[in-house]
Amino acid sequence: MGSCALARLQGLFAVYKPPGLKWKHLRDTVELQLLKGVNAGKPPAPEQRVRFLLGPVGSDEEKELTLTATSVPTLTNHPLVCGPAFTSLKVGVGHRLDAQASGVLVLGVGHGRRLLTSMYNAHLTKDYTIRGLLGKATDDFCEDGQLVEKSTYDHVTREKLDRILALIQGSHQKALVMYSNLDLQTQEAYDMAVRGLIRPMDKSPMLVTGIRCLYFAPPEFLMEVQCMHETQKQLRRLVHEIGLELKTTAVCSQVRRTRDGFFTLDDALLRTQWDLHSIQDAIQAAAPRVAAQLEKSLRPGHPAASMSRPALGLQRA
Amino acid sequence: MHLVVHVVFAQGPAPHARRHGAPPRPAAALAALAAAPGPGGRDPGAGGRTAGGRRGRDWRRAGAGGREGRAREGGVGAPPTRPRAGGAAGRAPAAAPPAASPAPRRGRPNAGAGRRGAASGAGAAAGAGRLLPPRAARPPRAASRMVSPTPAAARGGGASEGRGLGGGASGAGPGTLARPGAGPPQVGRARWGRGPPGGSGPSRFLSSDRRGGACSGAAEGGGGGLPAEVPAAGGGRRARGPAGACGGLRGPAGSRAGEATTVLPAPAAPRQPPPGPAPPRPAPPASPRPRGRGLDRRSGVLPGRGAICSQRTLPPATLRKMALSARQIPRWFNSVKLSSFVTAMQLGKRFPRAGKTLLHGVSAQPQMSSGNCFLQWGFKAYRTSSLRNSSQPANPSRQEIGSAQSTLLPSVNEQTPKTQKIPSLDSELPLEALDDLPSLAPLQPVSEEEAIQIIADPPLPPDTFTLRDYVDHSETLQKLVHLGVDLSKIEKHPEAANLLLRLDFEKDIKQILMFLKDLGIEDNQLGPYLTKNYAIFSEDLENLKTRVAYLQSKNFSKAQIAQMVRNAPFLLSFSVERLDNRLGFFQKELELSVKKTRDLVVRLPRLLTGSLEPVKENMKVYRLELGFKHNEIQHMITRVPKMLTANKRKLTETFDYVHNVMNIPHHLIVRFPQVFNTRLFKVKERHLFLTYLGRAQYDPTKPNYISLDKFVSVPDEIFCEEIAKASVQDFEKFLKTL
């Protein structure tokens, strides 16, 4: 039972990390729940062992004690004797989320942990929604940090905010090209740019590929940020810098990841769903998508893709 | 062999044997032995027999030959009690060295040996090794003390064997082990080795010792006498001889012997005044002695000097042994090469000197000649073949040997599965007939009837960390498992696991179970209960009854007591005074009435068995930090006793959220203390959802009031439906926006 449950437990899935929970703690909770599920199965039938026992053999008149082969149930593999079959599972965590941040967190179980590495190497973008609060500054850019400064924000308008955001996006766009190590004057770069695959393939500072304001009601504002190689702290700092650009101050009250690569909010499992069956189902559901996406993003010069381009070009010509 | 037995007869009951009595021996031939009550060994083997005969002797003779005799007995006999503990201790070379001779026990293990008889480390080791096996049967403490230097020595024996064999791989292993000498670490190990209380499960170390001992013991069983003398003979000068003669055979042992001789020139041994154990000199009764001598002469191994010497000083047993060996060697080892045989003979010639040395004493003990190794090897071979050879009377010691070998030498393992023969079969075989039987080849077919008598049992693991290995062999454990006790949890506490192994279900456990049943604990709860409180097995039943009586005297009803015991398994492990103190504490600290205290304790008996410190702390937290009044605290506690044991950090966090974020005043919290029993995230999620829906209205005086109790206690579905008036999907979607 345990082993076949485990066979279905190889792959990637996403959970929704609530704010205030450390990712390590989350991982341990998930592992515990999985173990509970895996160990809960019906115990296997008791094994038999063959013993040669002295027993009467023969008819009634001449009974003699002889060794006869008898199979006796053995307790060696009784669940109460060996304890739970699984005491630990290997659960890997994808791109981390710090304690205050919430949102989609990708976990890998079993062989899925290898896919986590592939996912990291794919350098996919992630989506965040960030809630900011104007008029305050704290030491750690969080809302509940030590208050450093207060300021007025009456002069801030939606237009001003949008302008700043566009500015930020533009500067990051330039950096993106720079860090992607591509010569833009080539066909490959063009192909990749058309497919939106221009991105740095190794380490770089945080790059924002897209940022826009979703909701503006001073002092509150809500932004959607598409970025890569970020940390939640850097995103909070981004809010802080936006505040400074707007000639006021801002703190970040919420960082929430709505997409990590190809895992979206809809795929994420809530706390109540962190059990064996939900996770198994989530893994099954995600598996084909994961394979396809990783294939696509890890091999940008895919033959099929590059074949279709020239044809298009010809048609245009 | 039969010669030896005769000797026994002649000698009559050996004194020590008389003291300790002997269990009935199956074999008729052995019965003879038993008539002269034997060593009380449980395993009358060929070797055992000889050992028994000799042992009687040894005992008298204490000082000189004691070593061999004892050794032999150790190797084969393994008497259930240590019959000659006192005597042996007195003379025991193995035990004595630190006291009797200055030879340091650890620095150079062979030092003592070298001085006395150049016989060398290997020999010494072998000699000591023989001492070992009895330890298995001896009372542990005595054994450990007496044999302390032996484990290494035993291994030394093994090593020398191996080398004798020609440096077979199997020999090499133990040989390396032996090298470090009789250092203390091995001693320690040997002590642990005694571990498994089951008795049947030899620990690895023990068994390894045993192996050394067993092999050597086997060797001695028949002809060990010859080698045994040699060490004695190896008064310094002589030693060079054996070293040279057997150098090729012995490898390191021989070289060590060489060292010993060079370092310590001959004179050391002979002149020493005999220490305490010497007196046995006159002891041996008249009848056996001549016989022994006669044997010697007949054997032709001993030069005249040797004979004289032995007459005086050496116990006849030694002589006998020697003679025996001389006779038996050709018979048993017809395949052994002539040269090696000659070596053995040469060694034997060294005997007379040995006699003197031995006489002097204690210090002579550890040495054994290298010839020993050779013989050991030979006898081991013999023994091995005889193991499979069912015509040989079987005995448990064989089983030990088999298992011991199997632990150390996997290669040997296949050949000698742990076989156990049913002794009754052999009992009819006269000893003489046995003696004349040629040793059978290992490949000789075994007849059906004999085969059926062989019980092949997988050996118990040498040492283990789990009770798993013992479950199938222990009635008690099996019954406990069927009761539902989780052994996998209990074995995490080694002392508890050991306790369980020692218990007898009928004797120790049954009464406790009956008691618990009487108390009102259901059958299916016994398992979990015992899993937690395994310590109850070591409690005195009277004490338990007293405690229950105390609880009854405090007006707890029977059902209440059962519930308390069930929920707090350790309750019965607390003494009456402690229980009384704790009950008093709660009554005083919380200032509750007697009845309320009783209810509180019945609802949460864990309070009585847990630490009181958190309770005190929580009381302070409620009063000072959270600002509840005393009567409010009392009220909350009687409603939710768990508040007393909750984590105070969580308490403050919850209170902070409920009071400061949800704006719920104290008097409302007091009415719904269940809030403190809830996870904070649950409260948070629900409150945020309600706030989002605009339904967060916790004031009972206004419409759409949401009671705090319902708010925290109902499951998600009902919460969504009845309180939030939304669908569960909405709630989940909302949760994903947090």
Side-chain angles (χ1 to χ4, degrees):
Chain A
M1 152 70 202
S3 53
C4 74
L6 217 59
R8 289 188 60 213
L9 207 56
Q10 314 275 346
L12 293 181
F13 64 98
V15 295
Y16 189 87
K17 186 187 100 65
L21 186 71
K22 292 193 171 88
W23 64 262
K24 184 88 163 53
H25 191 218
L26 184 148
R27 183 213 158 274
D28 291 345
T29 313
V30 168
E31 188 193 355
L32 198 73
Q33 295 291 333
L34 284 179
L35 280 176
K36 232 186 242 173
V38 168
N39 286 328
K42 222 177 66 188
E47 279 182 29
Q48 305 279 321
R49 65 172 176 158
V50 176
R51 292 295 310 263
F52 293 92
L53 298 178
L54 279 177
V57 165
S59 56
D60 296 331
E61 301 90 60
E62 37 162 344
K63 263 194 179 170
E64 55 174 3
L65 288 179
T66 324
L67 291 176
T68 42
T70 332
S71 62
V72 194
T74 173
L75 287 176
T76 319
N77 290 328
H78 195 281
L80 285 180
V81 177
C82 358
F86 299 93
T87 52
S88 74
L89 281 179
K90 297 189 169 174
V91 180
V93 183
H95 298 109
R96 313 279 197 259
L97 280 174
D98 64 14
Q100 294 113 323
S102 62
V104 180
L105 184 69
V106 179
L107 299 179
V109 199
H111 299 314
R113 288 171 306 142
R114 211 175 300 163
L115 300 177
L116 286 177
T117 320
S118 315
M119 221 177 130
Y120 175 81
N121 291 329
H123 297 277
L124 300 171
T125 56
K126 283 154 269 179
D127 281 359
Y128 284 86
T129 55
I130 299 172
R131 198 180 294 273
L133 207 60
L134 292 171
K136 275 210 292 189
T138 56
D139 56 349
D140 59 353
F141 317 124
C142 282
E143 194 187 15
D144 48 358
Q146 183 89 43
L147 189 64
V148 174
E149 196 181 334
K150 274 192 176 185
S151 56
T152 58
Y153 46 85
D154 300 335
H155 57 282
V156 180
T157 61
R158 171 97 192 213
E159 288 72 36
K160 280 183 184 167
L161 179 63
D162 284 342
R163 208 181 303 148
I164 299 294
L165 295 185
L167 203 69
I168 292 173
Q169 185 172 349
S171 63
H172 276 272
Q173 196 71 44
K174 261 187 200 167
L176 184 71
V177 174
M178 195 179 81
Y179 281 104
S180 62
N181 286 330
L182 277 179
D183 184 1
L184 277 191
Q185 309 300 317
T186 58
Q187 180 65 38
E188 288 93 346
Y190 172 76
D191 287 342
M192 289 177 73
V194 165
R195 292 163 59 211
L197 286 177
I198 289 192
R199 62 193 196 277
M201 289 311 278
D202 46 10
K203 283 181 183 172
S204 77
M206 179 179 81
L207 293 173
V208 176
T209 53
I211 184 169
R212 69 195 175 102
C213 178
L214 292 179
Y215 167 76
F216 182 76
E220 234 183 39
F221 63 99
L222 190 67
M223 297 185 302
E224 190 187 46
V225 180
Q226 196 180 51
C227 57
M228 59 197 309
H229 299 167
E230 82 295 336
T231 65
Q232 285 73 47
K233 182 97 175 170
Q234 284 168 331
L235 288 174
R236 292 194 194 101
R237 183 190 287 273
L238 185 72
V239 171
H240 172 74
E241 281 161 4
I242 288 170
L244 292 183
E245 289 293 322
L246 289 171
K247 305 213 165 24
T248 175
T249 50
V251 291
C252 177
S253 57
Q254 186 194 29
V255 176
R256 168 170 158 260
R257 181 151 71 196
T258 54
R259 181 179 65 87
D260 183 358
F262 33 83
F263 284 100
T264 60
L265 217 50
D266 296 333
D267 309 318
L269 300 177
L270 281 170
R271 199 197 305 255
T272 47
Q273 297 164 325
W274 296 347
D275 56 53
L276 181 67
H277 285 289
S278 309
I279 289 177
Q280 274 176 339
D281 294 344
I283 288 177
Q284 301 272 305
R289 205 153 37 94
V290 171
Q293 294 285 335
L294 283 181
E295 175 80 6
K296 194 180 114 195
S297 48
L298 283 178
R299 289 200 284 161
H302 197 266
S306 50
M307 284 298 280
S308 62
R309 281 310 141 196
L312 241 171
L314 275 180
Q315 269 178 0
R316 253 187 222 157
Chain B
M1 234 167 177
H2 59 277
L3 289 177
V4 176
V5 175
H6 288 316
V7 171
V8 174
F9 284 135
Q11 208 175 341
H16 77 272
R18 226 184 279 136
R19 252 193 298 162
H20 294 273
R25 203 86 48 99
L30 300 177
L33 240 194
R42 11 161 214 189
D43 39 1
R49 243 171 276 134
T50 51
R54 239 167 254 137
R55 213 181 293 142
R57 265 315 166 70
D58 293 343
W59 184 78
R60 291 221 187 135
R61 203 193 5 125
R67 185 184 358 155
E68 301 96 316
R70 210 175 321 129
R72 221 156 277 155
E73 155 199 332
V76 191
T81 57
R82 170 99 182 104
R84 293 170 295 131
R91 77 201 122 120
S101 77
R105 201 192 297 175
R106 41 190 89 177
R108 285 189 50 189
N110 326 339
R115 186 165 304 157
R116 274 309 118 67
S120 87
R130 297 207 190 130
L131 279 175
L132 240 215
R135 191 167 29 114
R138 256 183 243 158
R141 194 168 302 154
S144 71
R145 226 178 279 142
M146 299 219 26
V147 198
S148 51
T150 49
R155 265 169 236 139
S160 54
E161 267 163 39
R163 300 255 161 67
L165 258 168
S170 63
T176 48
L177 267 180
R179 263 300 171 75
Q186 276 120 338
V187 175
R189 270 197 244 151
R191 252 178 230 155
W192 304 333
R194 244 175 299 118
S200 53
S203 88
R204 186 186 309 144
F205 299 112
L206 193 50
S207 60
S208 74
D209 295 341
R210 236 187 247 163
R211 175 191 169 263
C215 303
S216 58
E220 299 149 47
L226 175 55
E229 275 108 51
V230 177
R237 229 173 282 139
R238 292 289 168 139
R240 221 168 286 141
C246 314
L249 264 179
R250 272 176 297 143
S255 65
R256 255 192 248 165
E259 283 169 30
T261 43
T262 48
V263 174
L264 306 164
R271 305 299 163 218
Q272 275 178 1
R281 202 206 282 187
S287 58
R289 203 193 299 159
R291 191 181 282 273
R293 238 189 298 156
L295 279 180
D296 298 336
R297 263 186 232 125
R298 252 182 293 156
S299 72
V301 180
L302 294 176
R305 208 175 9 146
I308 295 163
C309 224
S310 67
Q311 200 176 11
R312 269 293 160 80
T313 65
L314 268 189
T318 322
L319 297 182
R320 230 179 305 131
K321 268 178 260 163
M322 216 181 112
L324 242 187
S325 60
R327 290 185 126 210
Q328 283 164 345
I329 284 168
R331 194 184 304 162
W332 287 346
F333 305 124
N334 34 14
S335 65
V336 172
K337 289 189 187 67
L338 183 65
S339 62
S340 43
F341 176 68
V342 168
T343 316
M345 288 297 157
Q346 281 174 350
L347 290 173
K349 277 181 195 151
R350 236 141 266 130
F351 170 68
R353 197 49 72 82
K356 273 186 205 160
T357 329
L358 267 185
L359 179 119
H360 301 318
V362 187
S363 48
Q365 46 83 24
Q367 349 135 323
M368 271 292 160
S369 86
S370 52
N372 219 353
C373 329
F374 158 69
L375 274 180
Q376 273 171 4
W377 162 71
F379 277 98
K380 183 181 147 207
Y382 163 68
R383 180 48 77 115
T384 316
S385 66
S386 77
L387 267 182
R388 271 165 298 140
N389 172 358
S390 52
S391 69
Q392 192 74 14
N395 55 18
S397 81
R398 193 182 291 173
Q399 169 193 349
E400 283 175 10
I401 294 168
S403 64
Q405 282 175 347
S406 68
T407 51
L408 257 195
L409 300 177
S411 58
V412 182
N413 199 1
E414 311 137 21
Q415 304 185 332
T416 62
K418 181 173 149 194
T419 55
Q420 187 177 12
K421 286 211 56 197
I422 293 171
S424 61
L425 178 74
D426 318 305
S427 55
E428 276 77 37
L429 284 172
L431 200 53
E432 280 75 7
L434 276 181
D435 210 22
D436 292 336
L437 277 176
S439 79
L440 294 183
L443 293 178
Q444 181 149 354
V446 179
S447 78
E448 282 296 315
E449 286 149 21
E450 285 166 348
I452 209 172
Q453 304 288 342
I454 299 175
I455 298 174
D457 220 1
L460 277 176
D463 52 13
T464 179
F465 295 104
T466 76
L467 288 175
R468 236 183 122 173
D469 303 314
Y470 297 116
V471 155
D472 278 338
H473 303 272
S474 162
E475 197 80 6
T476 309
L477 290 185
Q478 284 172 13
K479 286 193 172 156
L480 286 179
V481 170
H482 287 133
L483 267 178
V485 177
D486 196 339
L487 294 186
S488 67
K489 281 186 183 153
I490 289 185
E491 76 193 12
K492 302 223 165 73
H493 314 272
E495 74 288 354
N498 282 331
L499 171 75
L500 279 195
L501 277 176
R502 267 185 246 113
L503 290 178
D504 178 42
F505 190 85
E506 293 297 322
K507 215 172 71 217
D508 308 313
I509 296 182
K510 208 171 179 180
Q511 43 174 357
I512 300 276
L513 289 182
M514 300 305 278
F515 169 75
L516 289 177
K517 286 268 293 177
D518 288 346
L519 214 58
I521 295 183
E522 307 289 329
D523 285 351
N524 57 353
Q525 291 157 346
L526 278 177
Y529 179 87
L530 293 177
T531 305
K532 285 249 182 218
N533 191 6
Y534 45 80
I536 202 171
F537 292 134
S538 48
E539 293 277 354
D540 188 13
L541 198 59
E542 285 310 308
N543 284 343
L544 297 181
K545 283 180 179 159
T546 323
R547 285 161 203 169
V548 173
Y550 167 77
L551 288 178
Q552 276 167 347
S553 77
K554 290 291 170 188
N555 278 335
F556 288 102
S557 76
K558 193 158 182 288
Q560 282 176 336
I561 294 177
Q563 188 192 340
M564 285 165 69
V565 170
R566 199 164 48 229
N567 293 337
F570 293 105
L571 188 68
L572 290 182
S573 301
F574 281 68
S575 70
V576 169
E577 293 80 23
R578 242 182 130 189
L579 281 180
D580 194 44
N581 278 342
R582 284 169 170 249
L583 279 175
F585 166 82
F586 283 109
Q587 196 173 345
K588 211 173 69 205
E589 182 86 9
L590 310 182
E591 293 171 26
L592 292 174
S593 70
V594 177
K595 187 177 175 303
K596 282 193 170 173
T597 314
R598 200 179 299 134
D599 287 344
L600 177 78
V601 169
V602 169
R603 284 187 63 186
L604 195 69
R606 223 174 43 197
L607 285 175
L608 284 180
T609 58
S611 167
L612 297 183
E613 211 47 47
V615 175
K616 286 182 197 163
E617 264 183 21
N618 278 1
M619 290 298 290
K620 291 261 187 301
V621 167
Y622 287 124
R623 214 178 62 235
L624 304 176
E625 201 170 339
L626 307 188
F628 287 104
K629 291 186 205 112
H630 192 76
N631 58 344
E632 289 175 335
I633 298 175
Q634 278 182 344
H635 178 76
M636 286 196 295
I637 282 172
T638 45
R639 297 279 299 280
V640 183
K642 229 175 149 185
M643 286 176 65
L644 282 177
T645 55
N647 180 347
K648 69 176 174 184
R649 191 175 55 82
K650 278 188 184 159
L651 279 183
T652 29
E653 276 178 1
T654 309
F655 179 82
D656 178 47
Y657 194 82
V658 171
H659 186 68
N660 295 332
V661 178
M662 292 168 67
N663 288 322
I664 297 178
H666 277 83
H667 70 268
L668 270 184
I669 298 180
V670 171
R671 283 176 62 189
F672 304 111
Q674 206 59 41
V675 177
F676 289 112
N677 216 359
T678 324
R679 306 266 183 109
L680 179 58
F681 70 78
K682 204 172 174 185
V683 177
K684 257 188 197 169
E685 284 170 358
R686 291 185 174 188
H687 170 70
L688 286 174
F689 188 48
L690 289 181
T691 317
Y692 177 75
L693 295 177
R695 290 182 171 276
Q697 207 286 96
Y698 307 109
D699 186 352
T701 57
K702 290 182 191 162
N704 285 332
Y705 161 70
I706 290 172
S707 100
L708 213 50
D709 185 32
K710 262 193 166 180
F711 175 78
V712 294
S713 57
V714 295
D716 271 353
E717 292 77 26
I718 300 173
F719 167 77
C720 292
E721 193 183 321
E722 291 184 1
I723 300 177
K725 313 242 187 291
S727 71
V728 179
Q729 285 76 25
D730 288 344
F731 184 49
E732 286 179 353
K733 260 187 193 156
F734 172 77
L735 287 182
K736 284 189 183 178
T737 64
L738 287 182

